[in-house]
Amino acid sequence: MDIRWGIILMSALAFIPAVGQQVKINEVMTANASAIMDFDNYNFSEWVELYNPHNEKVQVSGYFFSNDQADIKKWQIPAFRDIPAKGYLIIYMDKLNYGIHTNFRARTNDELLLLSDSQGILVDSVRVYHFPRNCSIGRNPDGSATWSIYVVPS
């Protein structure tokens, strides 16, 4: 192989995100009594935080979020949603089914939450439990493989 083609190939590969560097389910609260207010509806609903570990924004419009392995395309993230570089997106799991409000709740014990891309390919998942009120479970640090329980959501 000509050295120039090798350099071009290496340069092109540098722009492909590494496996594990995709959008992450970063934090989840299943019993939000008074910790994080949903200012759209002036209430406290269970929520999930997505995290973008990239140095550039990531378009998540068309991604799917679900609590049902048999229906991983249960709820679709609406158009014009992106997560800024090293940024977050909060999604409310409250059955309201508009904007960033899913068509399901996550209040049961031992529930699997699934994030898949626009093709329905699983990107991330996490098993959550019904934690004490206003406590969350989250990656520590953001995007890592280590999970911690937060008495005060991060």
Side-chain angles (χ1 to χ4, degrees), residues 1-148:
M1 174 187 297
D2 186 309
I3 189 74
R4 289 173 289 166
W5 286 112
I7 291 171
I8 291 170
L9 179 61
M10 294 294 283
S11 298
L13 290 174
F15 292 102
I16 299 173
V19 175
Q21 287 297 310
Q22 299 178 3
V23 172
K24 301 284 188 184
I25 297 173
N26 200 57
E27 189 170 355
V28 180
M29 180 177 281
T30 57
N32 183 16
S34 61
I36 304 289
M37 179 177 268
D38 166 12
F39 287 102
D40 289 343
N41 297 295
Y42 295 99
N43 65 9
F44 297 94
S45 300
E46 53 269 26
W47 52 266
V48 61
E49 174 189 88
L50 303 182
Y51 173 66
N52 171 14
H54 299 287
N55 290 323
E56 296 180 9
K57 75 177 180 179
V58 171
Q59 181 66 250
V60 292
S61 298
Y63 275 48
F64 295 94
F65 192 64
S66 180
N67 64 345
D68 183 352
Q69 286 181 286
D71 185 10
I72 64 168
K73 293 183 175 182
K74 190 171 192 174
W75 180 78
Q76 190 171 37
I77 297 176
F80 309 111
R81 296 291 174 179
D82 58 286
I83 305 175
K86 307 291 185 192
Y88 310 90
L89 174 66
I90 297 283
I91 296 172
Y92 295 98
M93 299 178 287
D94 54 12
K95 285 185 91 172
L96 295 177
N97 199 23
Y98 77 92
I100 55 169
H101 298 264
T102 67
N103 58 357
F104 64 90
R105 298 193 87 132
R107 290 192 161 192
T108 61
N109 197 14
D110 191 24
E111 189 160 6
L112 185 63
L113 299 177
L114 306 150
L115 177 67
S116 57
D117 67 15
S118 60
Q119 303 300 311
I121 298 168
L122 187 65
V123 172
D124 198 11
S125 65
V126 62
R127 185 163 300 282
V128 295
Y129 302 90
H130 195 75
F131 291 103
R133 290 176 6 162
N134 295 330
C135 291
S136 66
I137 181 171
R139 294 178 188 267
N140 187 11
D142 289 334
S144 74
T146 305
W147 289 85
S148 298

